[in-house]
Amino acid sequence: MILRPVREGGELEQIRLWRNEPENLRLFVTGREINPEEHLNWFKVSSEDPKKHLLIYEEDFEPRGFINFTEILESRVVDWGFYLSPKAPRGSGLRLGTT
């Protein structure tokens, strides 16, 4: 398993599609789909924030999900969240969360 920075382009669109999957969408406060323009704006703002780390979760050279870490204040505390590709094998979330 590796975590690596998100690359712009098609990968950014893939993250949006994962986010809008019904299984993932139900976990968000807004509960609504995000359109491409909203997603691009979110990415631009988030990627310029030095306290945010936007990463792709890969196994066997295959992207399986998205994870983000946000540093909270200067306390060395981190808020994090993730969602998976609908094609990610069962147990991927557990592996991601315990690695």
Side-chain angles (χ1 to χ4, degrees), residues 19-89:
R19 191 237 185 257
N20 285 337
E21 279 289 322
E23 189 65 23
N24 293 328
L25 194 60
R26 68 182 180 80
L27 303 171
F28 285 87
V29 174
T30 61
R32 67 174 182 78
E33 288 192 15
I34 301 300
N35 67 44
E37 183 179 344
E38 288 175 294
H39 190 65
L40 185 57
N41 288 337
W42 161 82
F43 181 75
K44 285 180 180 180
V45 169
S46 295
S47 62
E48 291 173 2
D49 184 340
K51 294 184 182 220
K52 291 188 182 281
H53 307 278
L54 311 176
L55 306 167
I56 291 292
Y57 155 50
E58 278 187 5
E59 279 194 53
D60 301 323
F61 304 102
E62 179 183 332
R64 294 194 178 168
F66 169 77
I67 185 167
N68 72 79
F69 294 100
T70 304
E71 298 171 35
I72 307 297
L73 304 172
E74 303 299 325
S75 65
R76 300 184 73 172
V77 173
V78 175
D79 178 38
W80 71 291
F82 74 95
Y83 43 91
L84 298 172
S85 161
K87 296 177 184 176

Side-chain angles (χ1 to χ4, degrees), residues 1-12:
M1 179 183 89
I2 65 166
L3 296 176
R4 60 164 178 77
V6 171
R7 298 179 202 129
E8 285 192 65
E11 191 162 272
L12 190 55

